[in-house]
Amino acid sequence: MTADFSQKLSTLAAAAKYDASCASSGSSSSAGGNPAGKGSVYGNQGSGYGDRGSFGVRVPAGVCHSWTGDGRCVSLLKVLYSNVCRYNCAYCVNRVSSDTPRASFTEDELVSLTCEFYRRNYIEGLFLSSGIFSDPDIVMEKLTAVARKLRREAGFGGYIHLKIIPGSGETLIREAGLWADRLSANIELPTEKSLRSLAPEKSGKLIFGAMGEVSLAKAQAEEDRRHKLKAPAFAPAGQSTQLIVGASGEDDRTIIGLSGALYKKYSLKRVYYSAYMPVVSDASSGLPEISSPPLLREHRLYQADWLMRFYHFESREILDEAHPFLDTALDPKTVWALNHPERFPVEIKKADYEELLRVPGLGAVSARRILGARRQRPLNFEGLRRLGVVLKRARYFITLGGAFLDRFDDPSRLRRILSGGEDLQLPLFNF
Ligand code: SF4
């Protein structure tokens, strides 16, 4: 690798590493190459946020760790095709008005770099995005061409995540899904009003249009395959998006309401939340002045999102007009349970799967284990513990054969206990 190419890789890796939409953990670059300085951000149609730390391992520039849907940790080469951009998103270091160093790969450079890193076992796949250096169709064609060449000419069998450039044509989006495992178009901000203010060249209509095209093409491909036609798979790992939290003034209710709608309407696999990190010092930018990124808020949003995706909660069950923000002291499922005493206690010997899922502290694995064990033998609290059921929070919300482990009729006191504001000597069991 020549020094020039190494510098280019550092520049384009640094510009891409904050995009959370591939669940990146951030990267550790041996080249140390964030040209805009530590904490600088963003760039790409997916821009992105949030260096969540690294594994502390020296790896080549651009290699980051990500998690798959089933919890496996994978390494990806995460880069921009180009950080040249015509747009002027207020929060992005690659906006047109920024004086950050610019660079662009060629298709062949990216293909050989990906293959070389793959052959050396540095990576299991590629995450590719880009600044908007030309018309959306031309940018999208470049990204698609890299994926096409990797699959067709280089025989690359690893994972590919391509960013969709909103405004690019249907044909290109449909072709991208034939080569990529996952596609993502980042919504970035929760309302059209915020997009107009902070990312004026972006359009919610175009972003949703791209998501709709992916969703439709995927549904059609799956339908074709069901009928045993010789149809190729389309983006088999689905599509995702990213929302920046705290750059604009929307409340959590607006954010999870949008996420809930996106899951339903476009069958998204994931919405990634990225705490806004201030990197642009421009008083006229319209960005809030904050001293640190709102990481706890981001964490609570992920918990609320989990409730919608896996526990069948509707967004309106989690927050309402009177409670527009998630509780910082307690997780959203516990808050829901405390607000719905009529749903508790849940009788472990009789409850169905859905009822078990609503108990704070019980997850899908515990619920399934309880149902399985219940068919084979009578359960007691010690038996629950042996099943691996964690009762630290659940103990206040369940009965077993009518017996309470801990009975609490005072929701305010229980709230204080669960949020750590009151110490309680737990009787009987030390779970
Ligand atoms: S489109 Fe916006 S977020 Fe993406 S690189 Fe350009 S300025 Fe940055």
Side-chain angles (χ1 to χ4, degrees), residues 42-47 80 83 85-89 91-96 130-132 188 199 202:
Y42 298 136
N44 58 49
Q45 182 53 32
S47 78
L80 297 193
N83 70 342
C85 192
R86 296 173 166 186
Y87 292 4
N88 208 33
C89 305
Y91 45 81
C92 177
V93 76
N94 291 321
R95 67 200 185 283
V96 66
S130 184
I132 314 300
E188 302 284 27
K202 291 186 178 175

PDB file of all heavy atoms in Angstrom, residues 42-47 80 83 85-89 91-96 130-132 188 199 202, ligand 1:
ATOM      1  N   TYR A  42     -18.484  13.110  10.608  1.00  0.00           N
ATOM      2  CA  TYR A  42     -19.477  12.674   9.773  1.00  0.00           C
ATOM      3  C   TYR A  42     -19.313  12.880   8.378  1.00  0.00           C
ATOM      4  O   TYR A  42     -18.907  13.853   7.911  1.00  0.00           O
ATOM      5  CB  TYR A  42     -20.780  13.333  10.012  1.00  0.00           C
ATOM      6  CG  TYR A  42     -20.970  12.908  11.291  1.00  0.00           C
ATOM      7  CD1 TYR A  42     -21.398  13.731  12.247  1.00  0.00           C
ATOM      8  CD2 TYR A  42     -20.577  11.632  11.601  1.00  0.00           C
ATOM      9  CE1 TYR A  42     -21.511  13.275  13.498  1.00  0.00           C
ATOM     10  CE2 TYR A  42     -20.699  11.236  12.858  1.00  0.00           C
ATOM     11  CZ  TYR A  42     -21.153  12.050  13.769  1.00  0.00           C
ATOM     12  OH  TYR A  42     -21.273  11.645  14.967  1.00  0.00           O
ATOM     13  N   GLY A  43     -19.866  12.099   7.813  1.00  0.00           N
ATOM     14  CA  GLY A  43     -19.937  12.328   6.489  1.00  0.00           C
ATOM     15  C   GLY A  43     -20.462  11.153   5.860  1.00  0.00           C
ATOM     16  O   GLY A  43     -20.225  10.091   6.258  1.00  0.00           O
ATOM     17  N   ASN A  44     -21.191  11.315   4.924  1.00  0.00           N
ATOM     18  CA  ASN A  44     -21.787  10.349   4.049  1.00  0.00           C
ATOM     19  C   ASN A  44     -23.269  10.524   4.142  1.00  0.00           C
ATOM     20  O   ASN A  44     -23.775  11.084   5.077  1.00  0.00           O
ATOM     21  CB  ASN A  44     -21.420   8.914   4.348  1.00  0.00           C
ATOM     22  CG  ASN A  44     -21.768   8.491   5.741  1.00  0.00           C
ATOM     23  OD1 ASN A  44     -22.865   8.727   6.139  1.00  0.00           O
ATOM     24  ND2 ASN A  44     -20.846   7.927   6.427  1.00  0.00           N
ATOM     25  N   GLN A  45     -23.906   9.996   3.174  1.00  0.00           N
ATOM     26  CA  GLN A  45     -25.336  10.121   3.102  1.00  0.00           C
ATOM     27  C   GLN A  45     -25.910   9.471   4.336  1.00  0.00           C
ATOM     28  O   GLN A  45     -27.015   9.640   4.709  1.00  0.00           O
ATOM     29  CB  GLN A  45     -25.866   9.446   1.846  1.00  0.00           C
ATOM     30  CG  GLN A  45     -27.352   9.560   1.641  1.00  0.00           C
ATOM     31  CD  GLN A  45     -27.825  10.955   1.704  1.00  0.00           C
ATOM     32  OE1 GLN A  45     -27.127  11.873   1.328  1.00  0.00           O
ATOM     33  NE2 GLN A  45     -29.013  11.163   2.178  1.00  0.00           N
ATOM     34  N   GLY A  46     -25.142   8.708   4.957  1.00  0.00           N
ATOM     35  CA  GLY A  46     -25.591   8.161   6.200  1.00  0.00           C
ATOM     36  C   GLY A  46     -24.941   8.854   7.329  1.00  0.00           C
ATOM     37  O   GLY A  46     -25.072   8.421   8.418  1.00  0.00           O
ATOM     38  N   SER A  47     -24.190   9.839   7.098  1.00  0.00           N
ATOM     39  CA  SER A  47     -23.349  10.438   8.106  1.00  0.00           C
ATOM     40  C   SER A  47     -23.282   9.521   9.278  1.00  0.00           C
ATOM     41  O   SER A  47     -23.260   8.341   9.160  1.00  0.00           O
ATOM     42  CB  SER A  47     -23.857  11.782   8.533  1.00  0.00           C
ATOM     43  OG  SER A  47     -24.909  11.659   9.402  1.00  0.00           O
ATOM     44  N   LEU A  80     -16.054   5.413   3.119  1.00  0.00           N
ATOM     45  CA  LEU A  80     -16.811   6.149   2.116  1.00  0.00           C
ATOM     46  C   LEU A  80     -16.150   5.944   0.758  1.00  0.00           C
ATOM     47  O   LEU A  80     -14.920   5.837   0.673  1.00  0.00           O
ATOM     48  CB  LEU A  80     -16.804   7.651   2.411  1.00  0.00           C
ATOM     49  CG  LEU A  80     -17.435   8.168   3.689  1.00  0.00           C
ATOM     50  CD1 LEU A  80     -17.583   9.695   3.595  1.00  0.00           C
ATOM     51  CD2 LEU A  80     -18.769   7.528   3.940  1.00  0.00           C
ATOM     52  N   ASN A  83     -15.522  11.451   0.167  1.00  0.00           N
ATOM     53  CA  ASN A  83     -16.057  12.406   1.158  1.00  0.00           C
ATOM     54  C   ASN A  83     -16.238  13.800   0.535  1.00  0.00           C
ATOM     55  O   ASN A  83     -16.430  14.785   1.241  1.00  0.00           O
ATOM     56  CB  ASN A  83     -15.192  12.471   2.418  1.00  0.00           C
ATOM     57  CG  ASN A  83     -13.850  13.132   2.185  1.00  0.00           C
ATOM     58  OD1 ASN A  83     -13.409  13.255   1.047  1.00  0.00           O
ATOM     59  ND2 ASN A  83     -13.184  13.549   3.257  1.00  0.00           N
ATOM     60  N   CYS A  85     -18.636  16.289  -1.051  1.00  0.00           N
ATOM     61  CA  CYS A  85     -20.099  16.354  -0.940  1.00  0.00           C
ATOM     62  C   CYS A  85     -20.627  17.723  -1.340  1.00  0.00           C
ATOM     63  O   CYS A  85     -20.044  18.749  -0.991  1.00  0.00           O
ATOM     64  CB  CYS A  85     -20.530  16.016   0.492  1.00  0.00           C
ATOM     65  SG  CYS A  85     -22.310  15.734   0.578  1.00  0.00           S
ATOM     66  N   ARG A  86     -21.734  17.684  -2.076  1.00  0.00           N
ATOM     67  CA  ARG A  86     -22.381  18.935  -2.493  1.00  0.00           C
ATOM     68  C   ARG A  86     -23.326  19.472  -1.423  1.00  0.00           C
ATOM     69  O   ARG A  86     -23.774  20.605  -1.505  1.00  0.00           O
ATOM     70  CB  ARG A  86     -23.256  18.675  -3.726  1.00  0.00           C
ATOM     71  CG  ARG A  86     -22.504  18.252  -4.949  1.00  0.00           C
ATOM     72  CD  ARG A  86     -23.525  17.879  -6.016  1.00  0.00           C
ATOM     73  NE  ARG A  86     -22.911  17.774  -7.320  1.00  0.00           N
ATOM     74  CZ  ARG A  86     -23.597  17.573  -8.442  1.00  0.00           C
ATOM     75  NH1 ARG A  86     -24.913  17.444  -8.398  1.00  0.00           N
ATOM     76  NH2 ARG A  86     -22.984  17.490  -9.588  1.00  0.00           N
ATOM     77  N   TYR A  87     -23.706  18.628  -0.493  1.00  0.00           N
ATOM     78  CA  TYR A  87     -24.701  19.020   0.502  1.00  0.00           C
ATOM     79  C   TYR A  87     -24.024  19.739   1.664  1.00  0.00           C
ATOM     80  O   TYR A  87     -22.814  19.645   1.854  1.00  0.00           O
ATOM     81  CB  TYR A  87     -25.456  17.798   1.028  1.00  0.00           C
ATOM     82  CG  TYR A  87     -26.368  17.132   0.015  1.00  0.00           C
ATOM     83  CD1 TYR A  87     -26.439  17.554  -1.306  1.00  0.00           C
ATOM     84  CD2 TYR A  87     -27.166  16.058   0.402  1.00  0.00           C
ATOM     85  CE1 TYR A  87     -27.279  16.924  -2.217  1.00  0.00           C
ATOM     86  CE2 TYR A  87     -28.003  15.424  -0.508  1.00  0.00           C
ATOM     87  CZ  TYR A  87     -28.055  15.861  -1.813  1.00  0.00           C
ATOM     88  OH  TYR A  87     -28.879  15.233  -2.708  1.00  0.00           O
ATOM     89  N   ASN A  88     -24.852  20.374   2.480  1.00  0.00           N
ATOM     90  CA  ASN A  88     -24.293  21.170   3.572  1.00  0.00           C
ATOM     91  C   ASN A  88     -25.003  20.869   4.885  1.00  0.00           C
ATOM     92  O   ASN A  88     -25.484  21.784   5.566  1.00  0.00           O
ATOM     93  CB  ASN A  88     -24.386  22.657   3.222  1.00  0.00           C
ATOM     94  CG  ASN A  88     -23.288  23.455   3.905  1.00  0.00           C
ATOM     95  OD1 ASN A  88     -22.175  22.950   4.099  1.00  0.00           O
ATOM     96  ND2 ASN A  88     -23.594  24.681   4.306  1.00  0.00           N
ATOM     97  N   CYS A  89     -25.037  19.598   5.251  1.00  0.00           N
ATOM     98  CA  CYS A  89     -25.698  19.202   6.501  1.00  0.00           C
ATOM     99  C   CYS A  89     -24.926  19.818   7.670  1.00  0.00           C
ATOM    100  O   CYS A  89     -23.701  19.645   7.780  1.00  0.00           O
ATOM    101  CB  CYS A  89     -25.731  17.689   6.617  1.00  0.00           C
ATOM    102  SG  CYS A  89     -26.487  16.921   5.176  1.00  0.00           S
ATOM    103  N   TYR A  91     -24.464  19.258  10.724  1.00  0.00           N
ATOM    104  CA  TYR A  91     -23.768  18.430  11.724  1.00  0.00           C
ATOM    105  C   TYR A  91     -22.599  17.646  11.137  1.00  0.00           C
ATOM    106  O   TYR A  91     -21.964  16.859  11.826  1.00  0.00           O
ATOM    107  CB  TYR A  91     -24.771  17.435  12.339  1.00  0.00           C
ATOM    108  CG  TYR A  91     -25.645  16.768  11.293  1.00  0.00           C
ATOM    109  CD1 TYR A  91     -25.188  15.683  10.561  1.00  0.00           C
ATOM    110  CD2 TYR A  91     -26.922  17.259  11.020  1.00  0.00           C
ATOM    111  CE1 TYR A  91     -25.966  15.099   9.575  1.00  0.00           C
ATOM    112  CE2 TYR A  91     -27.704  16.683  10.043  1.00  0.00           C
ATOM    113  CZ  TYR A  91     -27.234  15.599   9.333  1.00  0.00           C
ATOM    114  OH  TYR A  91     -28.006  15.026   8.353  1.00  0.00           O
ATOM    115  N   CYS A  92     -22.298  17.827   9.864  1.00  0.00           N
ATOM    116  CA  CYS A  92     -21.374  16.916   9.188  1.00  0.00           C
ATOM    117  C   CYS A  92     -20.056  17.600   8.819  1.00  0.00           C
ATOM    118  O   CYS A  92     -20.048  18.675   8.221  1.00  0.00           O
ATOM    119  CB  CYS A  92     -22.032  16.378   7.928  1.00  0.00           C
ATOM    120  SG  CYS A  92     -20.927  15.312   6.989  1.00  0.00           S
ATOM    121  N   VAL A  93     -18.975  16.924   9.150  1.00  0.00           N
ATOM    122  CA  VAL A  93     -17.662  17.491   8.865  1.00  0.00           C
ATOM    123  C   VAL A  93     -17.360  17.494   7.361  1.00  0.00           C
ATOM    124  O   VAL A  93     -16.482  18.212   6.905  1.00  0.00           O
ATOM    125  CB  VAL A  93     -16.589  16.716   9.664  1.00  0.00           C
ATOM    126  CG1 VAL A  93     -16.293  15.365   9.038  1.00  0.00           C
ATOM    127  CG2 VAL A  93     -15.326  17.531   9.796  1.00  0.00           C
ATOM    128  N   ASN A  94     -18.083  16.709   6.608  1.00  0.00           N
ATOM    129  CA  ASN A  94     -17.841  16.649   5.159  1.00  0.00           C
ATOM    130  C   ASN A  94     -18.758  17.549   4.351  1.00  0.00           C
ATOM    131  O   ASN A  94     -18.785  17.456   3.120  1.00  0.00           O
ATOM    132  CB  ASN A  94     -17.990  15.202   4.672  1.00  0.00           C
ATOM    133  CG  ASN A  94     -16.870  14.340   5.204  1.00  0.00           C
ATOM    134  OD1 ASN A  94     -15.734  14.782   5.280  1.00  0.00           O
ATOM    135  ND2 ASN A  94     -17.193  13.122   5.589  1.00  0.00           N
ATOM    136  N   ARG A  95     -19.519  18.396   5.041  1.00  0.00           N
ATOM    137  CA  ARG A  95     -20.422  19.284   4.305  1.00  0.00           C
ATOM    138  C   ARG A  95     -19.604  20.172   3.370  1.00  0.00           C
ATOM    139  O   ARG A  95     -18.400  20.403   3.614  1.00  0.00           O
ATOM    140  CB  ARG A  95     -21.256  20.120   5.278  1.00  0.00           C
ATOM    141  CG  ARG A  95     -20.450  21.118   6.064  1.00  0.00           C
ATOM    142  CD  ARG A  95     -21.196  21.555   7.330  1.00  0.00           C
ATOM    143  NE  ARG A  95     -20.455  22.605   8.008  1.00  0.00           N
ATOM    144  CZ  ARG A  95     -19.378  22.382   8.733  1.00  0.00           C
ATOM    145  NH1 ARG A  95     -18.899  21.164   8.862  1.00  0.00           N
ATOM    146  NH2 ARG A  95     -18.753  23.388   9.334  1.00  0.00           N
ATOM    147  N   VAL A  96     -20.243  20.683   2.348  1.00  0.00           N
ATOM    148  CA  VAL A  96     -19.528  21.385   1.293  1.00  0.00           C
ATOM    149  C   VAL A  96     -18.739  22.583   1.822  1.00  0.00           C
ATOM    150  O   VAL A  96     -17.668  22.925   1.303  1.00  0.00           O
ATOM    151  CB  VAL A  96     -20.510  21.791   0.157  1.00  0.00           C
ATOM    152  CG1 VAL A  96     -21.526  22.821   0.630  1.00  0.00           C
ATOM    153  CG2 VAL A  96     -19.774  22.276  -1.067  1.00  0.00           C
ATOM    154  N   SER A 130     -21.145   7.027   0.863  1.00  0.00           N
ATOM    155  CA  SER A 130     -20.437   8.076   0.127  1.00  0.00           C
ATOM    156  C   SER A 130     -21.042   9.449   0.388  1.00  0.00           C
ATOM    157  O   SER A 130     -22.238   9.563   0.704  1.00  0.00           O
ATOM    158  CB  SER A 130     -20.503   7.796  -1.383  1.00  0.00           C
ATOM    159  OG  SER A 130     -19.724   8.775  -2.069  1.00  0.00           O
ATOM    160  N   GLY A 131     -20.233  10.456   0.255  1.00  0.00           N
ATOM    161  CA  GLY A 131     -20.740  11.817   0.154  1.00  0.00           C
ATOM    162  C   GLY A 131     -21.404  11.978  -1.217  1.00  0.00           C
ATOM    163  O   GLY A 131     -21.207  11.169  -2.125  1.00  0.00           O
ATOM    164  N   ILE A 132     -22.190  13.030  -1.339  1.00  0.00           N
ATOM    165  CA  ILE A 132     -22.924  13.239  -2.586  1.00  0.00           C
ATOM    166  C   ILE A 132     -22.048  14.099  -3.504  1.00  0.00           C
ATOM    167  O   ILE A 132     -22.220  15.314  -3.591  1.00  0.00           O
ATOM    168  CB  ILE A 132     -24.287  13.922  -2.318  1.00  0.00           C
ATOM    169  CG1 ILE A 132     -24.999  13.248  -1.155  1.00  0.00           C
ATOM    170  CG2 ILE A 132     -25.170  13.898  -3.569  1.00  0.00           C
ATOM    171  CD1 ILE A 132     -25.297  11.784  -1.354  1.00  0.00           C
ATOM    172  N   GLU A 188     -31.871  10.229   9.396  1.00  0.00           N
ATOM    173  CA  GLU A 188     -31.052  11.221  10.110  1.00  0.00           C
ATOM    174  C   GLU A 188     -31.808  12.057  11.140  1.00  0.00           C
ATOM    175  O   GLU A 188     -31.413  12.117  12.290  1.00  0.00           O
ATOM    176  CB  GLU A 188     -30.355  12.194   9.138  1.00  0.00           C
ATOM    177  CG  GLU A 188     -29.466  11.510   8.122  1.00  0.00           C
ATOM    178  CD  GLU A 188     -28.150  11.035   8.693  1.00  0.00           C
ATOM    179  OE1 GLU A 188     -28.089  10.756   9.889  1.00  0.00           O
ATOM    180  OE2 GLU A 188     -27.195  10.947   7.913  1.00  0.00           O
ATOM    181  N   ALA A 199     -30.403  19.921   7.415  1.00  0.00           N
ATOM    182  CA  ALA A 199     -29.881  19.216   6.231  1.00  0.00           C
ATOM    183  C   ALA A 199     -30.747  19.608   5.042  1.00  0.00           C
ATOM    184  O   ALA A 199     -31.514  18.808   4.504  1.00  0.00           O
ATOM    185  CB  ALA A 199     -29.921  17.698   6.463  1.00  0.00           C
ATOM    186  N   LYS A 202     -31.594  17.588   1.913  1.00  0.00           N
ATOM    187  CA  LYS A 202     -32.208  16.263   2.054  1.00  0.00           C
ATOM    188  C   LYS A 202     -33.723  16.398   2.106  1.00  0.00           C
ATOM    189  O   LYS A 202     -34.258  17.424   2.506  1.00  0.00           O
ATOM    190  CB  LYS A 202     -31.690  15.569   3.312  1.00  0.00           C
ATOM    191  CG  LYS A 202     -30.223  15.171   3.178  1.00  0.00           C
ATOM    192  CD  LYS A 202     -29.744  14.361   4.353  1.00  0.00           C
ATOM    193  CE  LYS A 202     -28.301  13.953   4.121  1.00  0.00           C
ATOM    194  NZ  LYS A 202     -27.717  13.258   5.271  1.00  0.00           N
TER     195      LYS A 202
HETATM  196  S1  SF4 B   1     -24.965  14.312   2.564  1.00  0.00           S
HETATM  197 FE1  SF4 B   1     -24.818  15.528   4.438  1.00  0.00          FE
HETATM  198  S2  SF4 B   1     -24.255  14.004   6.002  1.00  0.00           S
HETATM  199 FE2  SF4 B   1     -23.797  13.090   4.004  1.00  0.00          FE
HETATM  200  S3  SF4 B   1     -21.650  13.626   3.588  1.00  0.00           S
HETATM  201 FE3  SF4 B   1     -22.878  15.186   2.639  1.00  0.00          FE
HETATM  202  S4  SF4 B   1     -23.005  16.819   4.168  1.00  0.00           S
HETATM  203 FE4  SF4 B   1     -22.338  14.962   5.206  1.00  0.00          FE
END
